[in-house]
Structure formats: structure tokens, C-alpha cells
Amino acid sequence: MTNAVDASYAAGLALQTTTQAKGKSNLGQQDFLTLLTTQLQNQDPFQPMENGEFLAQMAQFSTVSGIEQLNSTLSGIGDGLGAFRTATAASLIGKSVLVPGTLVRADSTGTVRGAVTLTDPAEALVVTYSNSVTGELLHSQTFGAQNAGDVGFAWDGVPSSLVSSRVPLRVSVTAASSDGSVPLAPKVYARVLSVGTSADGKSTVLEVEDKGNVAADTVTSFR
């Protein structure tokens, strides 16, 4: 028993020296191998390690090795998926995605589109469109009673001069109920200009007209 304790103590000292020299606190493959080798070198030759105990430690070593290889493989897959997501998102360039905001530009057909989320039912919903440069009111829409949830809206009569010059419009949405009128934060369809990755390289970012960079995973609708 004394020799076994001495062997374990010697192995521990060797392992401590190795980990201190490397400046780390976690066991790696090489550390595990050092521990096992030291135990074998310091064991009592008349009472050597049992085969079962030796095989158990080798199994632990294989498990550690397998986990590290699995982590490396998963990391590689993650990097590949990141590139795949960016390549897939590139197909959105030139299309429009639904993002939070009040500025919206008409498409080639002279239409602007958006949506708003109602947390409570509304007796009426009023959507107004104005010239974001001059402030001129261009159009107003009044919708009847609406249930809670997402409500889409669109205006297909944007003046041709604003369509050709691509002057952005400003959208304002108000919900009316017995308690009064409440301004809401709309979402609008805006054009994707380019696609890239975040600073840490882990996520895909869309450059959206008038909105700047938008995380691709926050986009729920496009057209």
C-alpha cells in the first residue's frame, strides 16, 4: 500500500510540475499520459498495477482524446456553417427584409410595405406616410378594428418623382382604443445592400439601406 501511495504521490508531483511549467490548470492528453507513465515507473515491481486498473486508466485517456477530437470536429463544422450562412444570406442582396424603423423607400413599382405588432386589440389603426425631407404629409390610411398580433400595411401610390429619386418616406402608426391613441413602432421592408460577418466572425450581418448593420438571425421576413 505504501509503494502505491508513493507512486501516486510521485505521479502527482510530476503532473503538478508539468502543469505549472505550462501555466495551465486543466488536464490535456499529454498531461494524462505523463501521469500514467509516472505511475508505471514508480509502481512496486512486486505488486504491479492490476490489468483492470491499467485498462480503466487507458479507457479514460481514450475518452479524453475522443472528446478533444470531437470538440475540434464540432468547431470545424461550426466554422463551415458560418461560411454557409454567409453564402446563403448573400442571396438576399437586392431583396427587402422586414426590420424595425420608420424610414422606407418605395420599390420599383412605387410601393412601400411594412407591419406593426399589436400587443392588445385596437378599435382602429392609422398609418401615415410623409416626405422625410420636407415633412409633407403624403398619404393616410385608416384600418378598422384589429386583433392583437401582426398587422401588415402597404401603399402603392408613392409619387413617381419620389420613386425615381428614392427619397425615403417616414411612416407613423397609431392604434386607437377606448383609452385613447397610442403610437406604435413599425417595421418596414428595406433593401439589403451587402452581407458580411460580425466582428467575432460568429454571426452573419446584413447591411440594410437606411438601417445600417442588422443581425441576419433577427430577420423574420423578406421579399
Side-chain angles (χ1 to χ4, degrees):
M1 177 64 68
T2 301
N3 289 333
V5 172
D6 291 343
S8 297
Y9 178 72
L13 286 178
L15 181 58
Q16 182 179 3
T17 301
T18 301
T19 54
Q20 287 177 345
K22 293 181 179 180
K24 62 180 182 180
S25 59
N26 296 326
L27 283 173
Q29 292 186 32
Q30 187 59 45
D31 300 323
F32 194 96
L33 185 59
T34 299
L35 173 62
L36 183 60
T37 302
T38 304
Q39 285 181 320
L40 291 175
Q41 291 175 342
N42 291 274
Q43 66 179 334
D44 185 349
F46 297 103
Q47 294 180 332
M49 183 185 300
E50 296 291 337
N51 290 339
E53 185 179 357
F54 177 77
L55 292 176
Q57 294 199 27
M58 287 302 297
Q60 292 177 5
F61 178 80
S62 297
T63 300
V64 171
S65 177
I67 291 175
E68 291 190 357
Q69 290 178 4
L70 178 60
N71 288 339
S72 177
T73 300
L74 290 177
S75 177
I77 292 176
D79 293 340
L81 287 176
F84 175 76
R85 285 193 297 268
T86 301
T88 301
S91 64
L92 293 175
I93 295 177
K95 298 185 183 302
S96 295
V97 293
L98 188 63
V99 292
T102 59
L103 290 181
V104 60
R105 298 176 191 250
D107 61 21
S108 59
T109 67
T111 303
V112 293
R113 296 180 174 84
V116 68
T117 301
L118 295 175
T119 55
D120 299 299
E123 295 178 2
L125 195 67
V126 179
V127 183
T128 61
Y129 307 85
S130 59
N131 186 315
S132 66
V133 177
T134 66
E136 176 189 2
L137 178 63
L138 301 172
H139 187 63
S140 179
Q141 298 171 319
T142 300
F143 299 89
Q146 304 291 326
N147 294 323
D150 294 333
V151 179
F153 57 82
W155 179 36
D156 59 4
V158 179
S160 58
S161 59
L162 297 181
V163 176
S164 59
S165 63
R166 292 196 52 74
V167 171
L169 308 185
R170 189 173 299 280
V171 178
S172 175
V173 183
T174 302
S177 67
S178 57
D179 296 328
S181 298
V182 179
L184 302 176
K187 294 181 179 180
V188 295
Y189 280 96
R191 187 171 58 175
V192 176
L193 302 178
S194 65
V195 174
T197 56
S198 59
D200 60 9
K202 294 182 179 181
S203 59
T204 302
V205 175
L206 308 178
E207 182 188 359
V208 181
E209 191 172 29
D210 299 319
K211 307 298 182 294
N213 290 337
V214 176
D217 58 6
T218 64
V219 173
T220 58
S221 179
F222 69 91
R223 50 181 308 120

